[in-house]
Amino acid sequence: MEKICVAVRVRPLVTEKNSDGTFWKVEDNRISLHKSLGTPISGVSYAFDYVFDQDCRNETVYELLTKDIIHASVEGFNGTAFAYGQTSSGKTFTMNGSENDPGIIHRAVKDIFTKIQMTNDREFLIRVSYMEIYNEEINDLFAVENQKLQIHESLERGIFVAGLREEIVSSAEQVLKLVQSGEVNRHVGATNMNVRSSRSHTIFRMVIESKKTDARSSGEDDAIRVSVLNLVDLAGSERIAKTGAGGVRLKEGKYINKSLMVLGNVINKLSEGAKQRGHIPYRDSKLTRILQPALGGNAKTSIICTVAPDEVHIEETKGTLQFASRAKRITNCVQVNEVLITVDAALLKRQKLEIEELRRKLQGSRAEVLEQEILKLRNDMLNYELEREKLSTELEEERKSHKERDQCIREQQMKIDNPNSSVTFSDSDRKSSQGQVFEIQCLKEESNGSHCMGQEDAFRTPCFKALPNAYVAKRSTYRRQTEDSPLPDTFSNIADEDTWLKMNKGYIADLDSLHMTPARKVQSFPSTDITPVSIFSSIIPPTIYVRN
């Protein structure tokens, strides 16, 4: 069993002095509130593992508070370090630092790789990830497209965030570049208390796997150590009256305070002892759910609480110190995380096999040649797709054309096979033949060579109802054709356009009542000029319909 290591760091004063003379005084590992004359106020004094004053640098905080946890993570222990406090109290500066005074994250990364280089009997594989909890939603800071991620738990991996990108790294410089790129994607905003206020909790995670290099030769178990190191920068608790937040900032502040309240409840439950604690509400917040192993679980944990010594923040400082006092009573069960394997289940071994396989492939072929061949195949595939689409379009047009042609042939065949049907033309035919008059004539009976005759006493003229857009003409008497025929050779010259317009409005022209033409010999119509649309029997007097 091991207790959580808790430290307090006091931020430098923003104002020159307090109006009533009260001030916070740091003495060794104790911080207390004093009156103007130096008399301590009763009940406002707290003791911790470490208390850092305003002049303390990040290097001192790291060396005393978190360096041991970092080294233990290389040896297979889980570790967590996070900063807690009110807004604008120096949490982000403690974790990230500045160019002149790097923070805990930068120093821990460099220290881990230095420790690995000094360890000769083990080989390591390191993976890093960076996430933020913004408005109770988990977002990936390495891949901005990975948002609203979910938390899962398994026997092999424990508690983890599904879909979170993990980068395999081999140097401290590579890790620091990733951290810098992730910081750009973090949600920050301006309030009355801080120009660059963190609006989300961030968790930088390193998974360290290690294995003995001579395990097989020495006959020892093929055990792999897997440790998880969490470096957490929490958003600060805030009062709306002081920050002046509104709109989006107000919504962000509500979620921040809610998650910090749940964290405080978890700390309270854990500090009560195993017999009295009862249910621990880890699942009430995603922050406490992810940090569950670090709070009363299998991890070495250190908490640094930052406070502002200004008089206006006395109440917030008291709340932070009370939180730290309760956290100091929590104990964790720490042990080395070793995984015994008999199959290739560990990520370290899988990555090693994949690297060897890729190395063999690259040795047998040139990467540039393969890349050119892949590009050529992609271009050929693209051209094939374009050609296929073109042929498909042409085939579809050809099918439509054949379908229209077959429909036209069927209509003509129906007109020829059914002599009692009216002869009409479609709108498209009428438009194409506008200004032309089609002629229809009864063909002579070829068997006896006689003219088409209609016997009035033996046969009656069929009664056909004219279509709405058809021209109508009829004969009043049916007799054998004489030499003085009222019809000219070509039916198209019988009337002008105005006469046909009247016919179209319902006027029925009696062909036998038209003015007789001078006598002349009837001539047969040339076969090339006649387009028979309907053929009637020689014994049925014809009724003629001509569509405009």
Side-chain angles (χ1 to χ4, degrees), residues 2-5 69 79-82 293-295 299-303 332:
E2 180 178 318
K3 286 192 175 183
I4 292 179
C5 184
I69 295 178
T80 299
F82 64 88
L295 301 174
K300 290 178 173 290
T301 304
S302 65
I303 302 176
N332 291 342

Side-chain angles (χ1 to χ4, degrees), residues 53-93:
D53 58 13
Q54 296 92 328
D55 299 328
C56 181
R57 293 175 58 84
N58 288 332
E59 181 181 3
T60 304
V61 176
Y62 174 77
E63 291 289 337
L64 296 178
L65 186 64
T66 59
K67 186 174 183 179
D68 292 340
I69 295 178
I70 302 304
H71 288 179
S73 64
V74 178
E75 297 173 359
F77 293 93
N78 294 333
T80 299
F82 64 88
Y84 176 91
Q86 73 173 94
T87 183
S88 74
S89 60
K91 298 179 301 301
T92 302
F93 177 78

Side-chain angles (χ1 to χ4, degrees), residues 132 140-144 180-188:
E132 72 167 357
D140 193 343
L141 295 180
F142 285 165
V144 293
Q180 186 177 4
S181 65
E183 283 293 326
V184 176
N185 300 324
R186 184 181 184 181
H187 285 82
V188 295

